[in-house]
Amino acid sequence: MSSLTDIRFAELAQEIACDVHSETQDDDNILKIQEISRTFVSDTITVPTKEMNAYALGASLGDDVYFEPSTAFLETHVAKITGKEAGLFLPTGTMSNQVAIRTHLQQPPYSVITDARAHIYRMEAGGAAFHSGANSIPIIPANEHHLTWEDIEPRIVSGTDVHVAPTRIIALENTLNGTIIPQDDVIEISKNARSRGIIMHLDGARIWHVAAETGLSMKELCDPFESVSLCLSKGLGAPIGTILVGSKPFITKARWFRKLFGGGMRQTGYMAGCAAYALTYNFPMLPHVHALAKRMQQGLEELGVGILSPAETCMLFYDPSPIGVEYWEVVERAAQLPDPIKLNGSRLLMHVQTSPQAIEDFLELLRALKEEKAAAGWRPENAPPKKKTLFRDVYVKAVRPT
């Protein structure tokens, strides 16, 4: 190689080199962890601790498209505790749900029944239609809490009429908006669905919370389903990943679709290590997280703030209008606190890195806003009447009026 070529290659290498560390990175990370502890937006924002990182760095170094030992062990472990034959590690819950639906469904026409509030129906960019050619049948639960067989049975599509898309899957979500489906209702839906040859899938992104709150085993919670998607990065606090479980033939086919969807990953041992750490050390923290959510609800109710959906597990949805306050006012004032609090609307979500002090500071902010409104002449009778609608969406984004 000539000296000119060596010089040019050095220039090229310099152009390509990248350093993502800033001079203040350590301090920035400390501030970020503080911010996360005072953020009620989601539980996906949690970050690996030093202990999680140290454990994960000891995981194996395989290529998961071929074989990755730590990842394979994690898949087998989650399959075992859920009572299924096999598991598959995927990068996201959305991909896990969509791979599950595509694997179950063979050839259109067909339809998938979901709760009208379900993530699969509302928050996955129309994936069931795009990936699987499936029609969705969203159902509003009559009890405004969870679907029952009485809700589902009249909406099942069957027969050979060429005008319709027969129902092939019932997809439940547990928890849904933080609420728990009573297991008796899950079992009844499953029993009736299976008697009709309909497949049961569970979006169990936060099923860990159900186990922690009810004491039911993961196997009991997953037995009524042919497939279950279990998120590792929400309540459990791993940085990435979801495990899809089901029968061996189902997972063999799902692995194929994972590759087709672009989800075949390489050195996933570190991710599996983080997930294993979360299962071992973060799952036991979930009762504490639930207690934080209940403390938040208690404090809000004492102030006269409305509760749209109660804290059964890690989250609740609130309505500040009974004290004369609007969401955008809360969001803006929370961001202006000396130690800011982040939120974006009606959902308040607690996680394994939530600071108890952040809850008390948030309640104090609501108390101050209530007093300011009262001093300005606002009275409860000034509150606008609530509109009665067939479907009450508890998700309300904070939007400042223009």
Side-chain angles (χ1 to χ4, degrees):
M1 184 179 291
S2 70
S3 59
L4 179 62
T5 303
D6 289 343
I7 293 171
R8 176 59 193 134
F9 186 81
E11 292 173 344
L12 181 61
Q14 183 63 35
E15 290 175 8
I16 292 173
C18 177
D19 181 5
V20 299
H21 298 116
S22 70
E23 292 181 0
T24 61
Q25 193 65 64
D26 289 344
D27 292 338
D28 292 345
N29 285 346
I30 292 171
L31 292 174
K32 188 63 179 180
I33 291 170
Q34 173 72 2
E35 176 187 303
I36 288 166
S37 75
R38 298 176 64 82
T39 297
F40 298 126
V41 174
S42 178
D43 49 0
T44 60
I45 62 170
T46 56
V47 295
T49 61
K50 291 180 180 178
E51 295 79 9
M52 179 182 282
N53 274 325
Y55 178 85
L57 288 172
S60 55
L61 302 175
D63 181 322
D64 191 42
V65 172
Y66 299 105
F67 179 74
E68 206 300 301
S70 291
T71 306
F73 187 92
L74 175 69
E75 292 168 339
T76 300
H77 174 74
V78 176
K80 179 181 178 181
I81 64 174
T82 57
K84 304 304 181 188
E85 293 179 347
L88 179 65
F89 184 80
L90 296 106
T92 70
T94 294
M95 182 178 285
S96 180
N97 283 327
Q98 293 304 319
V99 165
I101 291 171
R102 186 64 191 88
T103 304
H104 281 308
L105 298 177
Q106 302 298 317
Q107 178 63 42
Y110 32 53
S111 59
V112 178
I113 283 178
T114 71
D115 190 300
R117 306 162 296 170
H119 196 277
I120 285 176
Y121 176 64
R122 299 191 67 194
M123 305 296 289
E124 297 187 6
F130 183 86
H131 296 298
S132 300
N135 181 45
S136 292
I137 302 176
I139 300 176
I140 299 170
N143 59 27
E144 299 185 356
H145 184 270
H146 65 277
L147 286 179
T148 65
W149 178 247
E150 286 68 30
D151 295 317
I152 292 171
E153 184 178 24
R155 303 294 302 279
I156 290 174
V157 178
S158 59
T160 57
D161 186 339
V162 298
H163 299 90
V164 300
T167 301
R168 293 288 179 260
I169 297 176
I170 295 172
L172 300 182
E173 184 174 337
N174 200 13
T175 65
L176 196 161
N177 289 346
T179 61
I180 297 171
I181 308 176
Q183 192 64 9
D184 287 346
D185 284 316
V186 174
I187 292 170
E188 182 182 13
I189 293 169
S190 176
K191 179 187 68 176
N192 285 292
R194 286 170 168 172
S195 72
R196 296 170 182 238
I198 298 173
I199 296 164
M200 292 287 293
H201 173 72
L202 175 64
D203 178 355
R206 294 188 177 93
I207 193 68
W208 314 103
H209 287 279
V210 181
E213 185 67 21
T214 65
L216 293 171
S217 71
M218 295 298 292
K219 183 179 185 302
E220 289 175 284
L221 292 169
C222 297
D223 272 348
F225 302 92
E226 276 66 54
S227 58
V228 182
S229 175
L230 305 101
C231 187
L232 302 163
S233 65
K234 288 185 176 177
L236 291 183
I240 187 171
T242 291
I243 298 287
L244 177 64
V245 296
S247 69
K248 286 183 179 179
F250 170 80
I251 292 299
T252 296
K253 190 69 173 179
R255 191 176 295 274
W256 214 321
F257 280 118
R258 183 187 70 172
K259 182 63 175 174
L260 184 152
F261 282 19
M265 296 179 289
R266 299 300 180 176
Q267 285 68 37
T268 56
Y270 170 82
M271 302 176 200
C274 287
Y277 184 94
L279 288 168
T280 305
Y281 297 103
N282 289 355
F283 175 78
M285 298 172 66
L286 295 187
H288 170 68
V289 174
H290 298 177
L292 292 178
K294 290 176 173 61
R295 165 58 190 144
M296 177 72 88
Q297 178 175 331
Q298 175 194 30
L300 291 172
E301 289 177 327
E302 289 172 354
L303 290 170
V305 173
I307 302 297
L308 301 176
S309 183
E312 295 184 24
T313 54
C314 62
M315 72 181 81
L316 65 147
F317 294 77
Y318 80 111
D319 175 10
S321 65
I323 61 171
V325 179
E326 296 187 49
Y327 289 111
W328 67 267
E329 295 177 286
V330 180
V331 170
E332 291 190 2
R333 288 286 292 275
Q336 295 166 5
L337 291 172
D339 199 352
I341 292 173
K342 292 185 71 173
L343 61 157
N344 61 5
S346 62
R347 187 169 81 161
L348 300 172
L349 202 151
M350 273 42 75
H351 50 74
V352 294
Q353 293 173 346
T354 294
S355 162
Q357 186 59 49
I359 294 170
E360 301 307 319
D361 291 348
F362 181 73
L363 294 173
E364 185 58 37
L365 171 63
L366 266 293
R367 182 177 292 107
L369 286 169
K370 177 182 180 180
E371 292 172 356
E372 290 173 15
K373 293 292 183 178
W378 190 90
R379 297 292 179 267
E381 53 269 24
N382 301 142
K386 299 297 181 183
K387 296 179 181 179
K388 183 63 178 177
T389 59
L390 180 63
F391 174 61
R392 183 185 65 170
D393 190 355
V394 296
Y395 274 96
V396 183
K397 295 290 186 180
V399 179
R400 186 186 180 103
T402 55

